[in-house]
Amino acid sequence: LYYIIKSRKEKEMFEILLNFLQKKNIDLVGVLPLSACRVTRPYLLERAKIQNGTVFMMAIPYRTPACDEPNRSISAYAVSRDYHLFFEELYKELLPYLAEEFPNNRFAAFADHSPISELHAAAHAGLGVIGKNGLLLTQKYGSYVFLGEVITDFEIPCRAHEVSFCMDCGACKNACPTAVAEKNLCLSALSQKKGTLSKEEERILLSTNTVWGCDRCQECCPYNHDAMAAGTIYSPIPFFYEKPISSPTAEEIENMSDKDFLERAYSWRGREVILRNLKIQKKGDTPC
């Protein structure tokens, strides 16, 4: 972090926010000026009534040992409950706390649906480098992180890091299991496609044992290999250990209550998509 504390208020805000996040086992936090960010949804800043200020970027690790199951058929990010619920719970506690501590300032928090490009902001904040697979690669947790941020109208003197990129070893490109990647798609996008799949698309899902998402470009990444070898790749956050499902079955999905289903990351496409993919896998298991 690059910052110069000039006032007591700046120091208090910085320390209060960092201490709160550390108590939640969030240890990858960086700060940068809002002016250094790529604003992609300005209406969200207008809604928050924030024009200038400071951004606190967070990289939230999510991988757990449940993701190591040999027959896992969904992406690691979807093994736990939906990460949007994590941020919802976090911000529900954090924002009122900040508003109480600093009543003369505005705060807004985002994850995924953000007013800024989170990937570039995280790199600018020094949390990691940008990989060829379009993910943030951190030294401690590899690429298995979600990004979120708190934006305030209070300007803390700080400067952004230069954006760095990975070594371009080519491992992620070589590991991509389907030719549709040449059309700016990927296996993950194919698994989330609605409607009836072509025979070739069904063959791709079946041959890769894919029910939802894809981690091939992460599994081969040297950053993730290093984090695994160092023993730091697993999340210290309890949320991601709750109710893991590594290899869902059609019966599980069909019998889930609406409430439980809506807690899964794949629920936004509806039950039909993941059930279709599960039926493709089951059909492949049926002997001729």
Side-chain angles (χ1 to χ4, degrees):
L1 303 180
Y2 292 89
Y3 60 93
I4 302 173
I5 299 298
K6 292 184 178 180
S7 71
R8 180 178 179 181
K9 183 178 179 180
E10 291 169 4
K11 182 177 181 180
E12 285 180 351
M13 183 178 293
F14 195 86
E15 291 184 346
I16 283 175
L17 183 53
L18 289 187
N19 288 339
F20 179 95
L21 296 176
Q22 287 171 357
K23 289 178 181 178
K24 300 295 183 180
N25 295 316
I26 300 171
D27 55 8
L28 283 186
V29 184
V31 62
L32 73 161
L34 178 56
S35 59
C37 298
R38 295 183 182 179
V39 177
T40 56
R41 296 186 180 94
Y43 68 90
L44 292 177
L45 289 176
E46 293 170 6
R47 186 182 299 169
K49 298 181 180 181
I50 297 176
Q51 294 181 332
N52 300 297
T54 307
V55 179
F56 289 87
M57 287 300 306
M58 299 171 278
I60 308 297
Y62 63 84
R63 188 179 178 96
T64 68
C67 300
D68 297 338
E69 182 184 311
N71 296 322
R72 176 167 58 87
S73 58
I74 61 175
S75 183
Y77 86 91
V79 169
S80 66
R81 293 193 298 142
D82 188 354
Y83 67 95
H84 293 96
L85 298 176
F86 168 79
F87 282 107
E88 183 180 317
E89 294 173 7
L90 176 69
Y91 295 156
K92 188 176 182 180
E93 185 177 350
L94 175 58
L95 289 179
Y97 175 64
L98 291 173
E100 182 179 355
E101 291 289 332
F102 305 98
N104 296 322
N105 292 107
R106 293 186 177 276
F107 298 90
F110 306 92
D112 199 9
H113 187 69
S114 170
I116 62 175
S117 169
E118 293 179 314
L119 175 63
H120 285 85
H124 267 312
L127 299 185
V129 304
I130 297 177
K132 282 291 182 179
N133 55 6
L135 300 174
L136 183 76
L137 311 179
T138 73
Q139 185 174 7
K140 187 172 184 179
Y141 301 110
S143 60
Y144 297 102
V145 294
F146 298 124
L147 301 179
E149 65 277 353
V150 173
I151 303 178
T152 176
D153 63 352
F154 188 74
E155 297 188 52
I156 296 177
C158 56
R159 66 181 178 88
H161 291 244
E162 289 188 14
V163 173
S164 298
F165 298 87
C166 70
M167 64 188 76
D168 193 15
C169 67
C172 56
K173 183 177 180 180
N174 293 334
C176 185
T178 171
V180 296
E182 298 301 323
K183 300 178 182 179
N184 295 321
L185 294 174
C186 66
L187 181 58
S188 181
L190 176 59
S191 72
Q192 299 176 48
K193 183 178 177 181
K194 285 195 171 186
T196 302
L197 300 183
S198 68
K199 293 296 183 183
E200 176 61 14
E201 289 171 331
E202 286 191 6
R203 184 197 65 78
I204 292 171
L205 290 186
L206 184 59
S207 66
T208 55
N209 186 38
T210 297
V211 170
W212 181 267
C214 178
D215 289 331
R216 304 306 195 280
C217 65
Q218 299 194 81
E219 291 165 351
C220 66
C221 179
Y223 279 81
N224 288 327
H225 291 172
D226 291 345
M228 181 67 79
T232 61
I233 200 167
Y234 296 124
S235 176
I237 300 174
F239 175 92
F240 298 105
Y241 291 80
E242 300 171 358
K243 302 180 181 179
I245 302 177
S246 301
S247 302
T249 64
E251 291 73 21
E252 281 180 297
I253 299 298
E254 289 172 339
N255 292 328
M256 275 187 189
S257 67
D258 289 341
K259 178 181 180 297
D260 288 342
F261 183 71
L262 288 173
E263 290 187 344
R264 314 314 299 192
Y266 34 80
S267 65
W268 73 281
R269 293 301 264 176
R271 293 185 200 247
E272 295 79 9
V273 172
I274 192 167
L275 283 173
R276 176 203 62 200
N277 296 343
L278 284 163
K279 289 174 182 177
I280 289 172
Q281 298 300 329
K282 188 173 183 179
K283 183 167 60 176
D285 294 336
T286 304
C288 300

